[in-house]
Structure formats: C-alpha cells, structure tokens
Amino acid sequence: MIAQGQIKPAGGIVTFDSDRLFFESDFGQRVIRDIEATGNELVAENRRIEAELASAEQDLTERRSSMTPEEFRPLADAFDTRVQESRQEQAAKSRALNALLAQQREIFLRAATPILRELMVEAGAAVLLENRTVFFSAASSEITTVAMERLNQQLGDGSADGAAAPETPKD
C-alpha cells in the first residue's frame, strides 16, 4: 500500500518513467549484464574472424603473383563470398541481441502492468502517463520509484523462472 501522502496525483494523473523502471530494476540490471556479456563475446568473435580473414587475405595476396588470372579468380571470389557471409552472420547475431533486449523489456513491462495499475488505483488516479509524454508534472505524482520497489520484490531479477534469461545468438 502506498503510504499516505507519498503520491499525490495531479489532477487524477500519475506518471512513470518506463526507461528508468526497466534499466534500474533488478530485472533490467540482470538483462543488461547478460546482454553485455553476450555482446562482449560477439565482439571477441568478430575480432577473431577479422584476424582469420586478414590472414587469409594476406595468403591470397602472396599467392597471386604465382598464379594465372584464371587460377586466381575463383580463389578471390571464394574469399569475397566468405567475407560477405561472415559479415551477414555477425550482423544477424547483433540484430538478434538487440531483438532480445526488446523482447526482455516487453516481458518486463507486461509483468509491470498490474503493479502500475495497482499503484494508480492506490494513489486515487484515473490516468497513468509515461513521463516522455508529459511536459510538466508535480514530482509527487511520479510513481517510478515505488513501482520499481514492488517489481524488485515480486520479480527480483527475473532469472528464477528462466523465461527471461537471454541466450547467446547462435552461430
């Protein structure tokens, strides 16, 4: 229950910051840590692939002088194909990681909805607005901190059910 006087809706309206609610919550912090770890693995993989491709390119360059154009062309084409496929695969992994963040945020906001609704009712408000859509508001009508406390109590970091744990994008 909201403590008396803790939230005073201005004109029957309370506000919250969905970015802050997600990114500062235990759930959001866990998701960010997991995604950063996976992102770091992806960066390391990209560096390894770049080194392999640079070595293959150097080898191809050195071999070129001892080959006819007809012998060299298929090797150069195969190398170009390998480079393009590698770039596409790594870009797909990066997009999958971004999609995972969006998916986790959606899971979080679905879980937050009943808590936000409950806080709105407890505050005696008729409307809940996202801070980004509000030009001015009284600080006392802001429920993000209280909502985050409740979500942290009810959801924790979200890893207990395993449904929200990020997976490393597949090769």
PDB file of all heavy atoms in Angstrom, residues 61-78:
ATOM      1  N   THR A  61      46.995 -12.797 -51.257  1.00  0.00           N
ATOM      2  CA  THR A  61      47.816 -11.766 -51.894  1.00  0.00           C
ATOM      3  C   THR A  61      49.192 -12.315 -52.251  1.00  0.00           C
ATOM      4  O   THR A  61      49.709 -12.061 -53.352  1.00  0.00           O
ATOM      5  CB  THR A  61      47.955 -10.545 -50.964  1.00  0.00           C
ATOM      6  OG1 THR A  61      46.646 -10.036 -50.704  1.00  0.00           O
ATOM      7  CG2 THR A  61      48.804  -9.463 -51.584  1.00  0.00           C
ATOM      8  N   GLU A  62      49.778 -13.064 -51.334  1.00  0.00           N
ATOM      9  CA  GLU A  62      51.107 -13.640 -51.586  1.00  0.00           C
ATOM     10  C   GLU A  62      51.068 -14.679 -52.696  1.00  0.00           C
ATOM     11  O   GLU A  62      52.024 -14.801 -53.469  1.00  0.00           O
ATOM     12  CB  GLU A  62      51.656 -14.261 -50.297  1.00  0.00           C
ATOM     13  CG  GLU A  62      52.015 -13.232 -49.247  1.00  0.00           C
ATOM     14  CD  GLU A  62      52.339 -13.845 -47.893  1.00  0.00           C
ATOM     15  OE1 GLU A  62      52.333 -15.088 -47.757  1.00  0.00           O
ATOM     16  OE2 GLU A  62      52.571 -13.057 -46.954  1.00  0.00           O
ATOM     17  N   ARG A  63      50.015 -15.427 -52.801  1.00  0.00           N
ATOM     18  CA  ARG A  63      49.889 -16.477 -53.818  1.00  0.00           C
ATOM     19  C   ARG A  63      49.573 -15.915 -55.200  1.00  0.00           C
ATOM     20  O   ARG A  63      49.840 -16.577 -56.208  1.00  0.00           O
ATOM     21  CB  ARG A  63      48.807 -17.469 -53.400  1.00  0.00           C
ATOM     22  CG  ARG A  63      49.188 -18.255 -52.148  1.00  0.00           C
ATOM     23  CD  ARG A  63      48.072 -19.124 -51.640  1.00  0.00           C
ATOM     24  NE  ARG A  63      47.628 -20.083 -52.650  1.00  0.00           N
ATOM     25  CZ  ARG A  63      46.481 -20.747 -52.576  1.00  0.00           C
ATOM     26  NH1 ARG A  63      45.677 -20.571 -51.550  1.00  0.00           N
ATOM     27  NH2 ARG A  63      46.155 -21.598 -53.534  1.00  0.00           N
ATOM     28  N   ARG A  64      49.025 -14.730 -55.249  1.00  0.00           N
ATOM     29  CA  ARG A  64      48.559 -14.148 -56.509  1.00  0.00           C
ATOM     30  C   ARG A  64      49.669 -14.068 -57.561  1.00  0.00           C
ATOM     31  O   ARG A  64      49.427 -14.355 -58.736  1.00  0.00           O
ATOM     32  CB  ARG A  64      47.980 -12.758 -56.258  1.00  0.00           C
ATOM     33  CG  ARG A  64      47.433 -12.140 -57.518  1.00  0.00           C
ATOM     34  CD  ARG A  64      46.796 -10.820 -57.255  1.00  0.00           C
ATOM     35  NE  ARG A  64      46.086 -10.381 -58.443  1.00  0.00           N
ATOM     36  CZ  ARG A  64      45.306  -9.363 -58.498  1.00  0.00           C
ATOM     37  NH1 ARG A  64      45.087  -8.647 -57.415  1.00  0.00           N
ATOM     38  NH2 ARG A  64      44.702  -9.025 -59.615  1.00  0.00           N
ATOM     39  N   SER A  65      50.857 -13.674 -57.171  1.00  0.00           N
ATOM     40  CA  SER A  65      51.940 -13.494 -58.144  1.00  0.00           C
ATOM     41  C   SER A  65      52.365 -14.798 -58.808  1.00  0.00           C
ATOM     42  O   SER A  65      52.929 -14.788 -59.907  1.00  0.00           O
ATOM     43  CB  SER A  65      53.152 -12.829 -57.480  1.00  0.00           C
ATOM     44  OG  SER A  65      53.649 -13.662 -56.457  1.00  0.00           O
ATOM     45  N   SER A  66      52.080 -15.921 -58.176  1.00  0.00           N
ATOM     46  CA  SER A  66      52.480 -17.208 -58.757  1.00  0.00           C
ATOM     47  C   SER A  66      51.320 -17.900 -59.474  1.00  0.00           C
ATOM     48  O   SER A  66      51.446 -19.064 -59.855  1.00  0.00           O
ATOM     49  CB  SER A  66      53.038 -18.120 -57.662  1.00  0.00           C
ATOM     50  OG  SER A  66      52.025 -18.450 -56.746  1.00  0.00           O
ATOM     51  N   MET A  67      50.237 -17.188 -59.688  1.00  0.00           N
ATOM     52  CA  MET A  67      49.053 -17.799 -60.306  1.00  0.00           C
ATOM     53  C   MET A  67      48.641 -17.020 -61.553  1.00  0.00           C
ATOM     54  O   MET A  67      48.887 -15.824 -61.659  1.00  0.00           O
ATOM     55  CB  MET A  67      47.880 -17.800 -59.311  1.00  0.00           C
ATOM     56  CG  MET A  67      48.151 -18.532 -58.022  1.00  0.00           C
ATOM     57  SD  MET A  67      46.776 -18.350 -56.868  1.00  0.00           S
ATOM     58  CE  MET A  67      45.811 -19.749 -57.339  1.00  0.00           C
ATOM     59  N   THR A  68      47.973 -17.725 -62.427  1.00  0.00           N
ATOM     60  CA  THR A  68      47.389 -17.059 -63.583  1.00  0.00           C
ATOM     61  C   THR A  68      46.085 -16.398 -63.126  1.00  0.00           C
ATOM     62  O   THR A  68      45.502 -16.799 -62.113  1.00  0.00           O
ATOM     63  CB  THR A  68      47.068 -18.071 -64.706  1.00  0.00           C
ATOM     64  OG1 THR A  68      46.036 -18.952 -64.261  1.00  0.00           O
ATOM     65  CG2 THR A  68      48.298 -18.876 -65.123  1.00  0.00           C
ATOM     66  N   PRO A  69      45.620 -15.412 -63.892  1.00  0.00           N
ATOM     67  CA  PRO A  69      44.343 -14.794 -63.526  1.00  0.00           C
ATOM     68  C   PRO A  69      43.193 -15.811 -63.452  1.00  0.00           C
ATOM     69  O   PRO A  69      42.306 -15.695 -62.610  1.00  0.00           O
ATOM     70  CB  PRO A  69      44.102 -13.770 -64.629  1.00  0.00           C
ATOM     71  CG  PRO A  69      45.467 -13.427 -65.109  1.00  0.00           C
ATOM     72  CD  PRO A  69      46.265 -14.705 -64.989  1.00  0.00           C
ATOM     73  N   GLU A  70      43.233 -16.815 -64.327  1.00  0.00           N
ATOM     74  CA  GLU A  70      42.178 -17.834 -64.331  1.00  0.00           C
ATOM     75  C   GLU A  70      42.225 -18.699 -63.069  1.00  0.00           C
ATOM     76  O   GLU A  70      41.193 -19.162 -62.579  1.00  0.00           O
ATOM     77  CB  GLU A  70      42.309 -18.751 -65.569  1.00  0.00           C
ATOM     78  CG  GLU A  70      42.055 -18.065 -66.898  1.00  0.00           C
ATOM     79  CD  GLU A  70      43.250 -17.209 -67.351  1.00  0.00           C
ATOM     80  OE1 GLU A  70      44.409 -17.477 -66.958  1.00  0.00           O
ATOM     81  OE2 GLU A  70      43.011 -16.241 -68.095  1.00  0.00           O
ATOM     82  N   GLU A  71      43.424 -18.928 -62.526  1.00  0.00           N
ATOM     83  CA  GLU A  71      43.559 -19.693 -61.295  1.00  0.00           C
ATOM     84  C   GLU A  71      43.184 -18.838 -60.080  1.00  0.00           C
ATOM     85  O   GLU A  71      42.598 -19.334 -59.121  1.00  0.00           O
ATOM     86  CB  GLU A  71      45.005 -20.179 -61.117  1.00  0.00           C
ATOM     87  CG  GLU A  71      45.450 -21.206 -62.147  1.00  0.00           C
ATOM     88  CD  GLU A  71      46.941 -21.474 -62.062  1.00  0.00           C
ATOM     89  OE1 GLU A  71      47.722 -20.529 -61.821  1.00  0.00           O
ATOM     90  OE2 GLU A  71      47.316 -22.660 -62.255  1.00  0.00           O
ATOM     91  N   PHE A  72      43.545 -17.558 -60.164  1.00  0.00           N
ATOM     92  CA  PHE A  72      43.346 -16.667 -59.027  1.00  0.00           C
ATOM     93  C   PHE A  72      41.879 -16.270 -58.837  1.00  0.00           C
ATOM     94  O   PHE A  72      41.397 -16.185 -57.703  1.00  0.00           O
ATOM     95  CB  PHE A  72      44.208 -15.409 -59.192  1.00  0.00           C
ATOM     96  CG  PHE A  72      44.039 -14.434 -58.064  1.00  0.00           C
ATOM     97  CD1 PHE A  72      44.620 -14.675 -56.827  1.00  0.00           C
ATOM     98  CD2 PHE A  72      43.295 -13.269 -58.230  1.00  0.00           C
ATOM     99  CE1 PHE A  72      44.463 -13.783 -55.772  1.00  0.00           C
ATOM    100  CE2 PHE A  72      43.134 -12.374 -57.187  1.00  0.00           C
ATOM    101  CZ  PHE A  72      43.721 -12.628 -55.958  1.00  0.00           C
ATOM    102  N   ARG A  73      41.168 -16.020 -59.918  1.00  0.00           N
ATOM    103  CA  ARG A  73      39.797 -15.504 -59.850  1.00  0.00           C
ATOM    104  C   ARG A  73      38.878 -16.342 -58.975  1.00  0.00           C
ATOM    105  O   ARG A  73      38.180 -15.802 -58.116  1.00  0.00           O
ATOM    106  CB  ARG A  73      39.226 -15.358 -61.269  1.00  0.00           C
ATOM    107  CG  ARG A  73      37.797 -14.897 -61.367  1.00  0.00           C
ATOM    108  CD  ARG A  73      37.400 -13.589 -60.685  1.00  0.00           C
ATOM    109  NE  ARG A  73      38.378 -12.530 -60.717  1.00  0.00           N
ATOM    110  CZ  ARG A  73      38.521 -11.608 -59.760  1.00  0.00           C
ATOM    111  NH1 ARG A  73      37.752 -11.626 -58.701  1.00  0.00           N
ATOM    112  NH2 ARG A  73      39.419 -10.677 -59.851  1.00  0.00           N
ATOM    113  N   PRO A  74      38.822 -17.684 -59.115  1.00  0.00           N
ATOM    114  CA  PRO A  74      37.930 -18.464 -58.241  1.00  0.00           C
ATOM    115  C   PRO A  74      38.295 -18.346 -56.754  1.00  0.00           C
ATOM    116  O   PRO A  74      37.414 -18.316 -55.887  1.00  0.00           O
ATOM    117  CB  PRO A  74      38.092 -19.907 -58.717  1.00  0.00           C
ATOM    118  CG  PRO A  74      38.692 -19.825 -60.069  1.00  0.00           C
ATOM    119  CD  PRO A  74      39.452 -18.534 -60.135  1.00  0.00           C
ATOM    120  N   LEU A  75      39.589 -18.250 -56.462  1.00  0.00           N
ATOM    121  CA  LEU A  75      40.016 -18.110 -55.066  1.00  0.00           C
ATOM    122  C   LEU A  75      39.606 -16.743 -54.507  1.00  0.00           C
ATOM    123  O   LEU A  75      39.148 -16.645 -53.367  1.00  0.00           O
ATOM    124  CB  LEU A  75      41.526 -18.295 -54.951  1.00  0.00           C
ATOM    125  CG  LEU A  75      42.064 -19.680 -55.322  1.00  0.00           C
ATOM    126  CD1 LEU A  75      43.596 -19.691 -55.257  1.00  0.00           C
ATOM    127  CD2 LEU A  75      41.482 -20.751 -54.421  1.00  0.00           C
ATOM    128  N   ALA A  76      39.770 -15.708 -55.318  1.00  0.00           N
ATOM    129  CA  ALA A  76      39.377 -14.365 -54.890  1.00  0.00           C
ATOM    130  C   ALA A  76      37.868 -14.288 -54.699  1.00  0.00           C
ATOM    131  O   ALA A  76      37.384 -13.693 -53.720  1.00  0.00           O
ATOM    132  CB  ALA A  76      39.848 -13.334 -55.912  1.00  0.00           C
ATOM    133  N   ASP A  77      37.121 -14.875 -55.606  1.00  0.00           N
ATOM    134  CA  ASP A  77      35.662 -14.891 -55.489  1.00  0.00           C
ATOM    135  C   ASP A  77      35.215 -15.648 -54.240  1.00  0.00           C
ATOM    136  O   ASP A  77      34.303 -15.204 -53.527  1.00  0.00           O
ATOM    137  CB  ASP A  77      35.016 -15.512 -56.732  1.00  0.00           C
ATOM    138  CG  ASP A  77      35.143 -14.625 -57.965  1.00  0.00           C
ATOM    139  OD1 ASP A  77      35.456 -13.418 -57.813  1.00  0.00           O
ATOM    140  OD2 ASP A  77      34.929 -15.148 -59.082  1.00  0.00           O
ATOM    141  N   ALA A  78      35.858 -16.773 -53.965  1.00  0.00           N
ATOM    142  CA  ALA A  78      35.517 -17.563 -52.776  1.00  0.00           C
ATOM    143  C   ALA A  78      35.822 -16.764 -51.511  1.00  0.00           C
ATOM    144  O   ALA A  78      35.046 -16.786 -50.541  1.00  0.00           O
ATOM    145  CB  ALA A  78      36.281 -18.879 -52.775  1.00  0.00           C
TER     146      ALA A  78
END
